[in-house]
Amino acid sequence: MATATAEAGYPLHVWPRRLGSLDALGNVAHVRHDDSKDLAASCDIVALCVSTNEDVMQIVTGGLLDGLRPGSVIVNHGTGTPRNA
């Protein structure tokens, strides 16, 4: 998903919870952020691709919400429950 975003000409900003996640980007142009708050402050749309409700909540409450600008959108691509989303 990240590669497709960049290849479509959109600026790609990333924050890896695990540094190994960046390996999949190869030579794809991107801006790396050190934490989720910094990422959120740089983006109008933040897409999450994580596995559990707990992962979503950890990211959102771990700084992401604090960094979002008014009018920003979080898109949850995770596999958690609709209620949590």
Side-chain angles (χ1 to χ4, degrees):
M1 211 177 292
T3 301
T5 299
E7 288 176 348
Y10 296 99
L12 177 63
H13 292 255
V14 299
W15 165 69
R17 292 192 305 157
R18 289 176 291 282
L19 288 178
S21 299
L22 294 176
D23 294 344
L25 291 177
N27 293 324
V28 173
H30 65 278
V31 177
R32 180 178 161 205
H33 296 272
D34 292 328
D35 57 55
S36 61
K37 184 176 180 179
D38 183 49
L39 170 81
S42 301
C43 301
D44 295 321
I45 301 170
V46 177
L48 301 178
C49 297
V50 296
S51 300
T52 67
N53 291 334
E54 292 78 20
D55 289 339
V56 172
M57 294 308 296
Q58 180 184 32
I59 293 167
V60 169
T61 62
L64 187 72
L65 283 180
D66 295 332
L68 285 176
R69 298 179 299 218
S72 296
V73 175
I74 297 174
V75 179
N76 180 5
H77 295 282
T79 55
T81 62
R83 180 179 178 157
N84 187 69

